[in-house]
Amino acid sequence: MTHQRTIIEEHYDTKARIQLDFISYIKIALFVCIGFALMFALFLLTVSPFEETAVSVGSMLISFLPTIFLYFIFAILGSLLMYPIYRWWCEKHRGQLMSGKFAMIREIEKEEG
């Protein structure tokens, strides 16, 4: 009787030439878009024309929520529209050279018996 188990080999490196698929691209775009919306909210809170005594911070945030939501939606739509250009650029340049911490993963099936 033979059993198979999967062995995962990892090789770590600091540079890689990559091209993200659509789902990975959108995951990264979501982080950027959420960060943009939060930074925009902080910006509005710091330069708001309201006096702090007349309006609380909570009510200011509630009044800015539609604007923050619209900026988030526009950023996501922009990311969706840019994906074909990103894919074309990566294909032309054999991927995108990135630096950081990368683990190259290879799965090997090994029979035991």
Side-chain angles (χ1 to χ4, degrees):
M1 180 180 215
T2 63
H3 296 289
Q4 287 188 341
R5 82 181 162 128
T6 303
I7 300 172
I8 298 175
E9 291 181 356
E10 291 185 0
H11 170 72
Y12 287 91
D13 212 334
T14 57
K15 287 190 178 183
R17 188 175 298 278
I18 66 167
Q19 180 175 351
L20 301 175
D21 63 359
F22 181 72
I23 299 298
S24 296
Y25 176 84
I26 291 301
K27 286 179 185 177
I28 290 175
L30 282 173
F31 277 106
V32 172
C33 294
I34 289 170
F36 177 77
L38 291 175
M39 290 304 296
F40 186 72
L42 289 173
F43 172 75
L44 289 177
L45 285 174
T46 57
V47 297
S48 68
F50 301 120
E51 293 182 21
E52 289 184 28
T53 57
V55 180
S56 70
V57 173
S59 62
M60 282 193 323
L61 258 180
I62 290 172
S63 67
F64 291 138
L65 278 179
T67 305
I68 294 167
F69 181 72
L70 282 175
Y71 272 98
F72 175 75
I73 294 299
F74 282 128
I76 287 293
L77 290 175
S79 298
L80 290 171
L81 291 173
M82 287 302 295
Y83 179 74
I85 296 169
Y86 165 78
R87 188 178 62 206
W88 170 81
W89 188 85
C90 284
E91 287 174 2
K92 184 178 177 185
H93 295 281
R94 297 180 333 165
Q96 180 181 8
L97 185 61
M98 299 184 82
S99 61
K101 185 177 179 182
F102 300 97
M104 307 305 163
I105 299 172
R106 185 174 68 161
E107 293 182 6
I108 303 170
E109 292 194 16
K110 182 177 179 181
E111 289 190 22
E112 295 178 350

